Amino acid sequence: MRRQILTVAAALLLAAATGFAQATIATGPHDLSAGSALRNGNASINGQTCVFCHTPHGANLNSTAPLWNRNNVTSTYQVYSSSTMDAAAPSSAQIAGSVSGACMSCHDGSIAVDVLVNLNGAAFGPAVAFTVQGAAKATYGNVAPGSNNLMTGGIPAMGTDLRNDHPITIIYQTARLATPTEFVTETQVGSKIYVASGTGDLPLYGAAAASATVECGSCHNPHNNTQGSFLRKSNATSAICTTCHIK
């Protein structure tokens, strides 16, 4: 009997752990089908957690994000600058063409969260008319806060003025070599480039360490909200900051 109880308990714990892992996207802030303030009201798409970012067919070939289901941004950005900044500030085109550009396609408020490249190739009625595959279209109307489902409020709505945000699309090694006593050395293992500290590592993006950049995804994992704010790890005692910065 005791063995049966322990077996059942173990199964329940495994099921709970599996459910928690799945719940990091489903019903979370990045689940735009039903799990956030920007909720879909169209029954034809409701419950499709992944479609707001990814599509298995007809994806945007001009995006660095995998099977990306949104248009590239065309915004003009004001970028962070500082007298102590050692890396060159990026242009708007560099941001748009980077992996961070995928994030900004929602977070700069220029493209509505429900404008997708391909909604599973499905034809819809007049209210949500399917145009040509690969063309952007609104999948539902103005049923959420903001204007036409544009992200307009709160910290996640970064806008195009990035002067008060950590710089993105900057070459990490350029800054480190300029002030080597202030930055942790990056490491490359195979195709993975990262910055490591005693509390974990943060990824850089690029084919080689000499050109790898700091992006939104260096600190944030869009698929895992376990730490809150989609952080890649806990920021207790400024652990994310001190992964890269020696302070």
Side-chain angles (χ1 to χ4, degrees):
M1 174 65 73
R2 182 180 179 185
R3 179 177 296 178
Q4 290 177 330
I5 293 173
L6 290 174
T7 301
V8 171
L12 290 173
L13 285 172
L14 178 61
T18 302
F20 180 79
Q22 293 172 341
T24 56
I25 299 177
T27 74
H30 276 173
D31 181 1
L32 302 181
S33 66
S36 72
L38 295 169
R39 295 186 180 185
N40 163 44
N42 186 331
S44 299
I45 192 176
N46 195 34
Q48 296 192 53
T49 302
C50 304
V51 74
F52 287 91
C53 293
H54 303 287
T55 176
H57 304 290
N60 177 359
L61 294 178
N62 295 316
S63 174
T64 57
L67 296 175
W68 194 239
N69 202 19
R70 296 179 57 78
N71 285 338
N72 291 356
V73 291
T74 58
S75 302
T76 298
Y77 297 103
Q78 294 176 279
V79 298
Y80 176 88
S81 64
S82 167
S83 60
T84 61
M85 186 171 171
D86 297 309
S91 66
S92 292
Q94 287 173 312
I95 293 176
S98 71
V99 293
S100 293
C103 306
M104 297 307 290
S105 70
C106 273
H107 287 275
D108 76 1
S110 65
I111 302 175
V113 299
D114 56 342
V115 172
L116 308 177
V117 170
N118 178 28
L119 183 57
N120 296 337
F124 283 83
V128 280
F130 180 80
T131 54
V132 288
Q133 186 160 329
K137 54 195 172 295
T139 59
Y140 58 96
N142 185 15
V143 296
S147 175
N148 297 321
N149 292 331
L150 295 174
M151 189 175 287
T152 58
I155 290 294
M158 300 177 71
T160 58
D161 187 348
L162 306 181
R163 293 176 297 174
N164 61 346
D165 302 294
H166 189 286
I168 54 174
T169 320
I170 56 171
I171 298 176
Y172 181 83
Q173 191 178 99
T174 299
R176 181 182 64 77
L177 292 177
T179 51
T181 60
E182 295 184 7
F183 291 94
V184 176
T185 303
E186 70 282 355
T187 301
Q188 182 165 1
V189 178
S191 60
K192 181 181 179 182
I193 306 167
Y194 58 91
V195 183
S197 72
T199 56
D201 58 79
L202 300 178
L204 300 174
Y205 292 81
S211 57
T213 54
V214 177
E215 305 288 350
C216 299
S218 296
C219 296
H220 302 278
N221 181 349
H223 297 131
N224 192 327
N225 196 30
T226 303
Q227 302 292 343
S229 299
F230 293 98
L231 294 177
R232 286 197 174 271
K233 63 183 184 181
S234 169
N235 197 34
T237 66
S238 300
I240 287 183
C241 306
T242 55
T243 297
C244 297
H245 298 273
I246 298 174
K247 297 296 180 185

